[in-house]
Amino acid sequence: MVESNQIPKHIVLTSHPSANKGNSPEICWGAKSARERGPVIGSLTNPSERNVIGAHAGSYALYRALAVAAGGLAADHKPDLTNTSPTTKIGPFKSWEDPERIVSLDPYGHLVSDVFAKLLEEGKDIRPTIAV
């Protein structure tokens, strides 16, 4: 069984109205780089830092919730992002810079451990949104 400070009474499976009190990084859609755009934070670890709807891990968030509910994973668990840099360079492409386009995935989501290393060291719960 995994140690945890407190076992939650319920598990959040999806987005809820933001508890944002101005702590979340701003996202600049259409930026030319991940650093300029800012991190996408869908974590529930610190709701005041969330800046998107949804949850990290997408449909796998359900399995995380089940593991927490069963006591097999601490509710405040953060993944170890060591060696998660992409094996292949993809983009950036000009189409990523159009703030008027609707996107279904974060095109910079595979660069989290490299681009946002300093924020990760500060304890921000930023996670990859895609794998390459």
Side-chain angles (χ1 to χ4, degrees):
M1 184 178 269
V2 174
E3 295 290 323
S4 179
N5 295 341
Q6 182 179 17
I7 296 178
K9 294 187 188 294
H10 71 279
I11 306 297
V12 178
L13 297 178
T14 188
S15 294
H16 289 272
S18 176
N20 188 325
K21 298 198 177 17
N23 295 332
S24 64
E26 188 174 328
I27 296 177
C28 180
W29 298 115
K32 294 183 181 190
S33 72
R35 184 168 284 117
E36 292 173 55
R37 193 272 325 270
V40 171
I41 302 178
S43 169
L44 295 171
T45 305
N46 186 347
S48 70
E49 293 180 351
R50 288 173 55 86
N51 59 5
V52 296
I53 60 171
H56 285 302
S59 60
Y60 289 99
L62 173 64
Y63 298 109
R64 180 189 180 284
L66 290 172
V68 171
L73 183 68
D76 59 355
H77 173 78
K78 289 184 186 177
D80 178 357
L81 300 180
T82 304
N83 298 322
T84 60
S85 297
T87 58
T88 304
K89 181 173 173 21
I90 296 178
F93 299 106
K94 199 73 173 151
S95 60
W96 295 1
E97 300 173 20
D98 187 348
E100 298 299 315
R101 290 187 156 190
I102 296 173
V103 296
S104 59
L105 60 88
D106 171 12
Y108 301 115
H110 59 299
L111 302 173
V112 167
S113 60
D114 296 330
V115 176
F116 301 116
K118 186 173 188 261
L119 292 173
L120 290 166
E121 287 175 18
E122 293 172 5
K124 300 288 185 196
D125 194 4
I126 306 167
R127 303 181 190 192
T129 57
I130 60 173
V132 175

